[in-house]
């Protein structure tokens, strides 16, 4: 058993990005918030925030590495990724920790590699050797690969979508990693993979996924030795071998039932696959609700096809065109990613009337929309997320401009795609959400949590690269239901871990 003689030294960091390869614009350094040293501690509403909270309570020495996070977008620029990877290892080598605990998304990909986190963890393990514990807390939309499991001691996901429990996930990842370090836990992980995605019904509190989580909680409570069950609903726009739903069962030492538990839960996905569908409103129906049911205003419309929270560019003008062309009595606020139009608005200046062709420049298949309006707000786009998801964190829209069209539609032009699931995106730019009938967000799940009590949610079926429909996207490596004909005869399990950290 390993009992560190001094206060354990634990290095912490984050690399958080969900990368949608269908977004043609790579995610470059300017799209990320990067903190180094003590600034890494300013992340209360995240998995990293939970890691730090637990470690402070545990009275260990915390060594901040680097935190890199940004809204989902295109593939991470590979040179940028390599620079971050190099810096992370240099900081680890300089601080010589007993353990490393990281907040990773799990569905990041670079312009050259499909499994960024798997690459990062293999690289870290090679550099630190076998005797430094590595723990990670992942998003449940991770594309969980064998490399992530092979190169970590603790690998768990948050359990809820929308992700209301990321802080708890971080705390648990830290708790378990410290147990490994003390020799109190010898984690064995069994994984079971099902070759399917969830075309819809991705919320964990209800529907088939709610039932699977209920069953997982029951099995965890009723089977001695189970430490964690994590259930991964793979990011639907990743393209890699072995895409699928993954269940991991972590036990303390070998527990023979673990494999059966993992298989049972994996089969529950397959057996219920036809039930994973979303209930979305067609565009006209959503607008008709806003028009005819004023008591529930303001509404918050989720632009499902252009979800920045799924890595889409956020430049769709489809809902903007609808309100301008067909609903002249409605007042609205929405964001459009368009750095060029921001520049034009800046050049024209506050109070100027401008005519701009906004949006539609990045998303394949979408087009721009001409607007004429008054520039009523200009800023550098810096704001703080209101939360609860990532609440308190600094974020940026890049240079931003608000153009008020027809005295009723606030078009918030941003240079970078923003975390528009959060009301602070609008309020930070001088837009009062009580003054509009609806606001458009580029999010499908998380907005419901951050807009709770502020606006009535409506999920709207819109075009774009942020919403999976069978047959519309190209997949080169992945094979999964419902995109491909899969004849599932058996579900195999794999085992990882079982080693102890002793020096
Ligand atoms: Zn997620």
């Amino acid at each position: 058993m390993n009992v560190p003689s001094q206060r354990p030294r634990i290095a912490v960091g984050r690399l958080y990005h969900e990368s949608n390869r269908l977004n043609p614009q790579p995610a470059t350094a300017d799209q990320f918030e990067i903190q180094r040293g003590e600034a890494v501690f300013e992340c209360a509403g995240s998995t990293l925030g939970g890691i730090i909270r637990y470690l402070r309570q545990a009275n260990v020495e915390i060594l901040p590495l680097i935190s890199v996070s940004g809204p989902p977008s295109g593939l991470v620029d590979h040179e940028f990724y390599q620079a971050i990877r190099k810096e992370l290892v240099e900081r680890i080598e300089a601080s010589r920790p007993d353990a490393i605990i990281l907040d990773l998304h799990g569905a990041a990909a670079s312009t050259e590699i499909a499994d960024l986190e798997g690459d990062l963890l293999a690289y870290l393990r090679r550099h630190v050797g076998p005797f430094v514990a590595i723990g990670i807390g992942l998003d449940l939309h991770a594309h969980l690969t064998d490399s992530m499991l092979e190169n970590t001691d603790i690998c768990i996901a948050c359990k809820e979508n929308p992700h209301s429990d990321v802080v708890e996930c971080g705390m648990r990842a830290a708790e378990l990693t410290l147990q490994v370090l003390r020799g109190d836990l010898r984690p064995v992980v069994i994984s079971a993979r099902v070759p399917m995605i969830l075309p819809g019904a991705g919320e964990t509190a209800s529907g088939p996924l709610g039932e699977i989580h209920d069953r997982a909680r029951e099995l965890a409570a009723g089977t001695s030795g189970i430490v964690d069950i994590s259930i991964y609903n793979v990011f639907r726009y990743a393209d890699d071998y072995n895409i699928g739903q993954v269940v991991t069962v972590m036990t303390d030492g070998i527990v023979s039932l673990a494999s059966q538990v993992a298989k049972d839960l994996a089969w529950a996905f397959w057996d219920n696959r036809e039930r994973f569908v979303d209930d979305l409103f067609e565009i006209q129906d959503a607008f008709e609700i806003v028009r005819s049911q004023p008591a529930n205003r303001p509404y918050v419309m989720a632009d499902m096809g252009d979800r920045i929270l799924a890595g889409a560019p956020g430049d769709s003008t489809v809902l903007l065109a609808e309100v301008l062309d067909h609903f002249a009595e409605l007042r609205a606020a929405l964001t459009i990613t368009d750095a060029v139009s921001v520049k034009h608005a800046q050049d024209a200046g506050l109070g100027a009337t401008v005519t701009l062709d906004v949006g539609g420049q990045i998303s394949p298949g979408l087009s721009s929309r001409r607007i004429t309006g008054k520039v009523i707000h200009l800023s550098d786009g810096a704001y703080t997320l209101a939360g609860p998801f990532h609440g308190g964190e600094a974020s940026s829209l890049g240079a931003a401009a608000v153009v008020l069209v027809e005295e009723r539609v606030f078009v918030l032009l941003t240079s970078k795609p923003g975390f528009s699931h959060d009301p602070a995106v609008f309020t930070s730019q001088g837009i009062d959400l009580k003054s509009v009938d609806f606001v458009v967000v580029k999010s499908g799940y998380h907005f419901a949590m951050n807009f709770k009590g502020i606006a009535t949610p409506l999920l709207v079926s819109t075009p774009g690269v942020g919403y999976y429909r069978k047959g519309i996207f190209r997949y080169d490596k992945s094979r999964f239901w419902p995109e491909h004909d899969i004849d599932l005869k058996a579900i195999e399990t794999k085992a990882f871990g079982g080693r102890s950290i002793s020096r």
Side-chain angles (χ1 to χ4, degrees), residues 140-155:
L140 65 78
H141 297 113
H143 163 41
L144 186 72
T145 61
D146 289 353
S147 178
M148 295 183 206
L149 292 168
E150 282 159 4
N151 292 296
T152 54
D153 298 281
I154 295 299
C155 173

Side-chain angles (χ1 to χ4, degrees), residues 86-281:
K86 181 165 176 278
E87 180 174 344
L88 194 61
V89 164
E90 283 169 0
R91 285 176 177 273
I92 289 167
E93 284 178 346
S95 58
R96 304 185 63 78
D98 299 303
I100 303 160
I101 311 178
L102 301 176
D103 169 358
L104 303 176
H105 185 285
S110 84
T111 46
E112 290 184 22
I113 51 176
D115 174 19
L116 187 148
E117 287 90 348
D119 176 85
L120 177 70
L121 291 163
Y123 189 82
L124 281 188
R125 180 57 84 200
R126 273 202 304 280
H127 278 80
V128 302
F131 304 125
V132 173
I134 300 179
I136 58 172
L138 295 169
D139 188 284
L140 65 78
H141 297 113
H143 163 41
L144 186 72
T145 61
D146 289 353
S147 178
M148 295 183 206
L149 292 168
E150 282 159 4
N151 292 296
T152 54
D153 298 281
I154 295 299
C155 173
I156 62 170
C158 66
K159 311 291 188 261
E160 288 170 25
N161 185 37
H163 308 328
S164 56
D165 65 330
V166 290
V167 172
E168 287 82 352
C169 173
M171 293 183 74
R172 184 73 172 144
E175 179 184 16
L176 295 175
T177 308
L178 287 189
Q179 286 179 13
V180 170
L181 199 61
R182 291 192 199 102
D184 295 339
L185 170 64
R186 190 170 174 159
V188 175
V189 176
I190 303 292
S191 77
R193 187 181 298 273
V194 194
M196 61 178 278
I197 63 154
L198 305 188
E203 296 200 4
T204 53
S206 58
L209 194 51
E211 293 164 21
I212 292 172
H213 277 267
D214 285 345
R215 178 86 183 120
R217 278 187 286 271
E218 255 173 54
L219 288 165
T223 315
S224 73
I226 291 184
V227 175
D228 173 79
I229 298 179
S230 289
I231 297 171
Y232 296 88
N233 309 127
V234 66
F235 182 55
R236 291 172 279 200
Y237 317 96
D239 187 20
D240 196 8
Y241 303 106
N242 277 328
I243 289 286
Q245 305 303 298
V246 182
V247 176
T248 60
V249 178
M250 184 193 295
T251 52
D252 185 8
I254 293 168
V255 173
S256 56
L257 272 174
S259 182
Q260 198 51 48
V261 168
K263 276 191 193 181
D264 278 2
L265 294 168
W267 275 114
F269 276 102
W270 187 252
D271 294 341
N272 286 286
R273 63 192 182 282
E274 301 289 350
R275 294 174 62 203
F276 287 100
V277 286
D278 277 333
D279 203 6
L280 305 185
F281 289 103

